């Protein structure tokens, strides 16, 4: 029962993180996805690091394991969070949440192609539903003027990075027994450092340009939600099977859309097509997660 609560809480927190990012990016003077991504991952790293330090069941990481988790963290949430934050700016939180919900399809496709996992009927049905959701989203009529197709495309790339990280961790899990919360803390910290390096490399003298007037509270809140979501996710996986946890985590699309309806009713314009896409993603993702 605790694992179910933790998995659902992880999904809700991830949806809340998406919405909080939108609050931070809603004004012209604060639409800086790079700084927003850095603040988010930095705060998330503090949250995950604190959780790892306080966890009495956390196991020590070897240097090899720490290096691997750091590499995974550079992929996601490092590079992926940069793209994800920009996607929220350009496509809005509800549509970005639906796109991210297609992650199980990407994960299954990568696992089948590269890890030799078998193809089964439920996976194909789930894949068809998720693809159908993507088509509904792309062909959506009457979307708000601020929603750009480029933002939706960026969200798909961010999702591909999420799933690449997941499959990398899945592959490495056979090489180590230390998939602890400390691993998550190392990954998020590496992601934050990677984002900082990106800032240094791309801005140099104008490194902190845009800090004036930047809404710190929404981005810090997003980082808090993001870090707690990671902690809850790892705790859930330690207490229940993947087939129990994954379908519950897949509901994050519905939570993102629901929170967007409550908080951005006028600007997000959540219509029947978007709701249908979210439902298709959840059902398809659940089938893929259960039978993969």
């Amino acid at each position: 029962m605790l694992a179910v609560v933790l998995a659902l809480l992880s999904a809700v927190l991830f949806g809340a993180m998406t919405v909080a990012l939108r609050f931070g990016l809603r004004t012209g003077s604060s639409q800086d996805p790079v700084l927003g991504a850095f603040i988010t991952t930095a705060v998330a790293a503090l949250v995950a690091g604190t959780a790892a330090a306080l966890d009495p069941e956390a196991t020590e990481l070897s240097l090899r394991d720490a290096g691997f988790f750091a590499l995974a963290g550079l992929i996601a949430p490092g590079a992926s969070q940069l793209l994800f934050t920009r996607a929220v700016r350009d496509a809005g939180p509800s549509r970005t949440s639906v796109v991210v919900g297609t992650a199980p399809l990407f994960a299954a496709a990568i696992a089948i192609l590269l890890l030799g996992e078998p193809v089964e009927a439920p996976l194909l049905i789930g894949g068809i539903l998720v693809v159908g959701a993507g088509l509904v989203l792309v062909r959506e009529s009457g979307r708000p003027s601020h929603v750009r197709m480029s933002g939706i495309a960026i969200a798909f790339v961010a999702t591909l990075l999420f799933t690449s990280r997941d499959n990398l961790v899945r592959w490495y899990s056979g090489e180590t027994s230390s998939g602890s919360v400390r691993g998550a803390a190392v990954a998020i910290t590496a992601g934050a450092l990677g984002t900082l390096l990106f800032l240094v490399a791309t801005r140099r003298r104008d490194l902190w340009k845009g800090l004036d007037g930047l809404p710190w509270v929404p981005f810090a809140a997003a980082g808090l939600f993001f870090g707690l979501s990671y902690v809850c996710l790892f705790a859930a996986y330690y207490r229940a099977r993947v087939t129990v946890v994954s379908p519950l985590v897949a509901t994050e699309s519905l939570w993102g859309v629901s929170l967007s309806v409550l908080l951005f009713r006028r600007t997000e314009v959540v219509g029947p097509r978007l709701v249908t896409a979210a439902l298709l993603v959840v059902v398809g993702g659940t089938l893929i997660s259960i039978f993969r």
Side-chain angles (χ1 to χ4, degrees), residues 77-236:
S80 66
Q81 193 66 18
L82 287 168
L83 295 172
F84 182 83
T85 306
R86 182 172 177 179
V88 171
R89 184 194 67 178
D90 294 346
S94 59
R95 288 159 182 82
T96 301
S97 293
V98 172
V99 173
V100 171
T102 65
L105 174 62
F106 285 100
I110 293 173
I112 290 169
L113 291 174
L114 301 181
L115 302 182
E117 292 193 5
V119 179
E120 298 180 0
L123 298 182
L124 293 176
I125 296 173
I128 291 171
L129 292 175
V130 173
V131 170
L135 293 175
V136 170
L137 188 63
V138 170
R139 295 172 62 87
E140 179 190 17
S141 59
R143 70 171 64 92
S145 58
H146 71 272
V147 175
R148 305 174 187 172
M149 287 302 300
S150 60
I152 293 177
I154 291 171
F156 273 112
V157 177
T159 304
L160 184 59
L161 289 175
F162 285 141
T163 54
S164 297
R165 184 274 317 275
D166 291 344
N167 276 285
L168 192 61
V169 172
R170 184 185 180 95
W171 166 77
Y172 188 74
S173 64
E175 305 292 327
T176 180
S177 59
S178 59
S180 66
V181 177
R182 291 186 180 179
V186 170
I188 297 179
T189 301
L193 292 175
T195 307
L196 178 59
L197 289 175
F198 180 82
L199 273 170
V200 173
T202 57
R203 300 194 178 182
R204 298 182 182 178
R205 294 182 181 179
D206 295 330
L207 178 60
W208 303 116
K209 183 180 179 180
L211 283 181
D212 292 339
L214 190 75
W216 289 82
V217 173
F219 289 131
L224 176 63
F225 295 143
F226 191 25
L228 290 175
S229 176
Y230 254 66
V231 171
C232 289
L233 181 63
F234 268 68

Side-chain angles (χ1 to χ4, degrees), residues 62-88:
S62 66
L63 183 60
R64 179 172 179 261
D65 292 344
F68 170 80
F69 282 117
L71 174 62
L74 289 175
I75 299 172
S80 66
Q81 193 66 18
L82 287 168
L83 295 172
F84 182 83
T85 306
R86 182 172 177 179
V88 171

Side-chain angles (χ1 to χ4, degrees), residues 45-57:
L46 289 175
V47 173
T50 301
L54 297 177
D55 184 6
E57 299 179 359

